Amino acid sequence: MDTSLCRVRVYKDRLRHNLHWLQSLGVPLMPVLKANAYGHGLLCCADIVMEAGIEQVAVGTVSEGCHLREYGYTGALVALLGLVPDGVPSTDPNVVESSVIRHDIEKAQAARITPLVHDWASLRVAAQGFGHSQPIAIKCDTGMARLGFQVSDMPAVTEFLKANPHLEPTLLLAHYAVADEPDQDEFTKAQAARMAEAARVFRAHFPNIRVSMGNTACLLSFPELAGDLARSGQALYGDNPLARTSRASCGAALQPVMEVSAPVLSVHPLAAGTSIGYGRLYTPDHNITVAVVGMGYADGLRRVQFGQPQMNVHGVRVPILGRISMQMTAVDVSSVPETRAGDYACMLGGSGDTIRPGDVAEWWGTIGYEVTCIFGKSRIYS
Ligand SMILES: *Cc1c(COP(=O)(O)O)cnc(C)c1O
C-alpha cells in the first residue's frame, strides 16, 4: 500500500567510497550498522561491508545480528545493546503491539553473535545462559555513564571470566561522550587514559583481547585514541560529526549516502500579498512561483523548523514557505523556472548544491544521525 510519495534512495557507491576512505586512516574498522544502518537499510549496507572483506561489524539488537548472519555474513557480529530480557506479550485482546519476545540467549548462541556484557547482572545471565564456548564483548564505562563496568571492576571481572572459561572475551569496548566537541578534548583524553588502565588489567589475563574505543569523531580527530578497532557509523553514511566545529576539514572527503525526494504535485504563481498554507505564516511581498511537493511530516519532515529550511530542486536550493503539512510542503521555485509537476524535489541530497544530513539537522534542532534514522523509516529504494 502506497501511503507515501516520498522516496528514499541509498547510493551504495558513496557508501563504498566512505568505507574505503575510512580504511585509509589506518585503524581497523568495525562498521556500525545498528538501527537498520542508521536508517539506510541493513542488508544493502552489509553488501558493501562484505565486499570489502571487513571481519567485524556492530549492530544494535541480537536480532539484527541474526538477520546479517542469515544473509551470509561470516565475520564477528557485536550486538551493542547486549542480551535483552524476554518481554511479556499483552493478553488484553484490545491491545495491538509490536513483537516484544526476544529469546536473545538462544539466538545469540545459534548465530554466534557477540553480545555486549556491561554489568554483573548481564555477565551472570551470559555465564548461566550460554552452554558452551561463546564470544562476548565487555563494555567499560570510562565517562559516558550509559552502559559499562567501572574500570575498578576489571580485576573482579577478569577473575569471574577465568572461573567461567566457556565465556570468551574477544573485545573490550568503551565509548566517547564528546569526541565531536573540540573544546572538550581534555575529557576525551581522560576517557582514553581510563581505558588504558582497564586494558592493562584485562591483557594480563587475556592477552589477545582487542580494545575498541573510537567512534567516528574520535577516528577523524585522534586515530591514536581509537584503540585496536574503530567503531564508525556516521562517517560511513557520509555525515561529518565535526562539520560545524574547528575540525570540520577532518571529514570533508565524506559523501552523503541518503537522498530523500518526492514529486512536485503543482506549480503555480502566488501573487504579492497572498498568504499560503495553514496559519497563513508566509505572505510574499512580490509575485513568486510556488511548487507544492508531495512530502510532509507524515513522511518524516519535522513540522517545527528553525531558520530558513530549504529543499533542492534541479540542483538549486529553494526556500520552504510557511507550515509543513502532513503530506505536502510548499517551496519558492521562482529561481528555478523550469520546475514542472512530476519533477522531484529533494529534502536530503540532490545534485548541485546538495543538502546534507547536518543541514537538515540545523533546521530541525537536532543532529544528522536523527535525520537519517527518521527518513529511514520510510521505504528504502536501493
Ligand atoms: C552508535 C555507536 C557507535 C558509532 O558512533 P558514530 O558516531 O556513528 O561513529 C559506536 N559505538 C557505540 C557503542 C555506539 O552506540
Side-chain angles (χ1 to χ4, degrees):
M1 184 176 57
D2 288 331
T3 58
S4 171
L5 299 177
C6 192
R7 181 175 78 177
V8 178
R9 267 191 178 156
V10 170
Y11 287 88
K12 291 168 90 168
D13 54 339
R14 300 183 195 165
L15 189 70
R16 186 181 292 116
H17 162 90
N18 295 334
L19 180 65
H20 290 167
W21 184 79
L22 287 167
Q23 285 183 299
S24 76
L25 300 178
V27 184
L29 274 190
M30 177 155 69
V32 181
L33 302 182
K34 69 188 182 200
N36 204 22
Y38 293 33
H40 293 71
L42 178 64
L43 298 185
C44 72
C45 295
D47 284 342
I48 303 303
V49 165
M50 286 159 71
E51 160 198 291
I54 301 263
E55 287 167 5
Q56 56 282 310
V57 306
V59 291
T61 63
V62 169
S63 290
E64 279 181 307
C66 293
H67 204 47
L68 269 189
R69 193 61 92 214
E70 281 160 27
Y71 192 59
Y73 183 68
T74 54
L77 278 161
V78 178
L80 293 173
L81 297 172
L83 298 164
V84 179
D86 292 350
V88 180
S90 172
T91 52
D92 183 340
N94 296 305
V95 173
V96 178
E97 68 185 343
S98 62
S99 165
V100 290
I101 310 167
R102 311 191 61 91
H103 304 305
D104 273 356
I105 288 263
E106 293 100 285
K107 287 194 208 158
Q109 188 154 287
R112 207 167 168 78
I113 310 295
T114 307
L116 200 77
V117 170
H118 52 86
D119 62 5
W120 288 106
S122 62
L123 186 54
R124 283 188 207 102
V125 164
Q128 284 161 18
F130 291 122
H132 46 81
S133 94
Q134 169 68 32
I136 58 168
I138 300 290
K139 183 72 181 283
C140 200
D141 172 25
T142 58
M144 184 73 167
R146 207 168 54 172
L147 299 179
F149 289 98
Q150 297 306 303
V151 175
S152 57
D153 289 330
M154 286 300 115
V157 171
T158 51
E159 286 308 317
F160 185 98
L161 289 170
K162 281 196 295 180
N164 288 276
H166 62 299
L167 297 181
E168 293 169 31
T170 55
L171 275 173
L172 191 62
L173 260 78
H175 197 41
Y176 287 115
V178 282
D180 58 342
E181 295 183 32
D183 58 356
Q184 298 209 54
D185 283 350
E186 287 313 310
F187 192 84
T188 299
K189 288 176 183 161
Q191 282 196 270
R194 266 175 236 136
M195 189 59 163
E197 171 59 14
R200 191 187 61 75
V201 174
F202 233 91
R203 285 200 168 114
H205 303 280
F206 300 96
N208 296 328
I209 197 155
R210 293 211 282 177
V211 173
S212 171
M213 299 191 274
N215 53 2
T216 293
C218 165
L219 177 63
L220 299 186
S221 308
F222 309 108
E224 69 281 9
L225 301 186
D228 304 325
L229 273 180
R231 301 186 308 277
S232 187
Q234 194 65 354
L236 206 57
Y237 310 110
D239 193 35
N240 178 7
L242 299 162
R244 282 156 181 82
T245 74
S246 55
R247 287 203 288 265
S249 63
C250 295
L254 297 167
Q255 297 179 359
V257 171
M258 184 184 284
E259 182 179 278
V260 177
S261 61
V264 170
L265 306 178
S266 161
V267 179
H268 59 77
L270 186 70
T274 315
S275 65
I276 182 167
Y278 287 120
R280 305 182 56 212
L281 289 196
Y282 180 77
T283 305
D285 58 10
H286 56 285
N287 296 342
I288 63 170
T289 305
V290 168
V292 179
V293 180
M295 81 175 124
Y297 56 80
D299 308 293
L301 268 65
R302 303 299 299 269
R303 184 170 174 279
V304 175
Q305 308 254 348
F306 301 95
Q308 176 55 71
Q310 298 166 322
M311 285 191 184
N312 176 306
V313 179
H314 290 300
V316 178
R317 293 224 198 172
V318 296
I320 289 177
L321 304 175
R323 284 249 158 88
I324 308 278
S325 302
M326 189 180 288
Q327 296 186 298
M328 287 184 263
T329 297
V331 292
D332 178 353
V333 290
S334 308
S335 62
V336 198
E338 68 270 34
T339 308
R340 297 283 176 272
D343 292 351
Y344 269 73
C346 293
M347 187 63 246
L348 193 59
S351 59
D353 195 358
T354 193
I355 298 178
R356 291 172 180 268
D359 299 323
V360 179
E362 293 247 303
W363 301 323
W364 293 5
T366 183
I367 52 175
Y369 299 63
E370 189 182 0
V371 172
T372 61
C373 283
I374 286 174
F375 283 129
K377 291 184 185 136
S378 309
R379 289 169 302 166
I380 299 286
Y381 290 61
S382 56

